[in-house]
Amino acid sequence: MPPVSPELISPRSARVSAARRLAKRNFRGKDRLFLAEGPQAVREAAGHRVGGEATLVELFATVEAVERYADIIGEARSAGARVHLAAEDVIADISTTVTPQGLVGVCRFLDTPFEDVLAARPKLVAVLAHVRDPGNAGTVLRCADAAGAEAVVLTDASVDLYNPKAVRASVGSLFHLPVAVGVPVERAVAGLKDAGVRILAADGAGDRDLDEELDKGTMGGPTAWVFGNEAWGLPEETRALADAVVRVPIHGKAESLNLATAAAVCLYASARAQRASGGCRTVTES
């Protein structure tokens, strides 16, 4: 099991330079590595494997973090990761946050082929189409995880899954469920439909009301929600691909809901309907 390095790693170390460059997308793609920062993300990364291979390959930690998060350091070592002691200025140099928490992990890419998502016959999926803000993408991923979704799909026009802001916003959920990336929206919709999944486009101008759909009992089957761009929503050609375009009702005076909030409402509505009597989860899991 790789030991904790006995000396502080030098800021000029090749390992530090290699980690630092992962803040840029082109280097992440070239190395197929990304950064996970903070105790929650590092803990989840240490316990995650893809095809039997550990996701966490390297960990930089301050002396204080090694003492405070001894359990995480132990999990990282058990996963086979090389653990480097690092001064706070080294962590700050690698980190993309204003106030680093003393732990920065280097992880292997973990996205799932879209074909594998379909083969699992998912019952609840979030599809991010043209979502460009990494914080929103990570938050929707977290919402999907919390609602019990079995997969998230990022289309080819959406933000990089491994953007440090997206990883942080997912708060570890990135390591909990399959995520397919770079899938053209037309292929995503067609594949999910072929897998028996109903496609609902979330749009404030939708002709279906979410409350009414719940009341009518139409939400209990396998469902994929398609969420659009933060500023301009879903284009007409994408809405036309869906089985229905559904709006979240605004009962008060708010002009609209932001993307992550709307996604949480829609995903939880489906999750509740699927778990109700007669929903697809009740039928298949009983």
Side-chain angles (χ1 to χ4, degrees):
M1 195 177 297
V4 173
S5 303
E7 298 179 356
L8 292 175
I9 193 168
S10 168
R12 295 183 294 277
S13 163
R15 300 310 315 146
V16 172
S17 297
R20 184 191 305 118
R21 76 180 198 164
L22 296 178
K24 297 182 179 180
R25 181 172 187 170
N26 59 328
F27 287 116
R28 291 195 296 271
K30 180 179 179 180
D31 298 343
R32 290 194 60 78
L33 296 170
F34 70 100
L35 298 176
E37 302 183 36
Q40 178 64 23
V42 171
R43 186 192 303 277
E44 299 296 339
H48 188 270
R49 306 183 79 83
V50 177
E53 189 173 49
T55 297
L56 182 68
V57 298
E58 200 164 17
L59 177 61
F60 297 84
T62 62
V63 174
E64 180 184 359
V66 168
E67 295 174 351
R68 178 179 298 180
Y69 305 114
D71 57 333
I72 298 177
I73 300 300
E75 291 175 23
R77 295 179 64 200
S78 295
R82 178 70 179 180
V83 180
H84 302 286
L85 291 179
E88 290 186 4
D89 61 340
V90 172
I91 294 293
D93 193 32
I94 299 172
S95 173
T96 60
T97 63
V98 177
T99 55
Q101 295 178 276
L103 294 174
V104 181
V106 176
C107 305
R108 293 185 176 92
F109 276 15
L110 45 69
D111 47 278
T112 299
F114 183 54
E115 292 74 16
D116 292 355
V117 169
L118 298 178
R121 309 294 290 186
K123 301 176 184 66
L124 183 58
V125 180
V127 179
L128 278 63
H130 309 285
V131 173
R132 303 291 175 80
D133 182 88
N136 279 335
T139 302
V140 173
L141 201 158
R142 183 183 183 187
C143 292
D145 179 22
E150 284 117 342
V152 173
V153 177
L154 273 71
T155 68
D156 53 357
S158 289
V159 69
D160 176 21
L161 171 66
Y162 303 110
N163 181 294
K165 291 183 179 179
V167 176
R168 285 198 303 274
S170 80
V171 197
S173 288
L174 171 64
F175 303 98
H176 294 167
L177 73 171
V179 184
V181 301
V183 185
V185 66
E186 295 84 0
R187 180 181 170 218
V189 169
L192 288 165
K193 282 186 175 182
D194 287 345
V197 179
R198 184 183 184 216
I199 309 298
L200 299 181
D203 192 286
D207 57 358
R208 305 277 189 94
D209 181 284
L210 180 61
D211 284 351
E212 293 176 357
E213 292 297 305
L214 287 168
D215 290 343
K216 289 189 295 185
T218 63
M219 303 281 292
T223 302
W225 282 96
V226 182
F227 304 106
N229 181 269
E230 298 84 353
W232 37 266
L234 291 167
E236 177 56 38
E237 57 268 26
T238 300
R239 294 196 299 270
L241 297 172
D243 295 304
V245 182
V246 181
R247 66 182 182 277
V248 176
I250 302 294
H251 301 300
K253 297 180 180 180
E255 184 271 333
S256 63
L257 295 175
N258 64 25
L259 171 63
T261 303
V265 171
C266 294
L267 290 166
Y268 266 92
S270 286
R272 179 172 182 178
Q274 290 179 356
R275 286 168 170 77
S277 177
C280 66
R281 292 176 189 269
T282 301
V283 171
T284 59
E285 294 177 6
S286 60

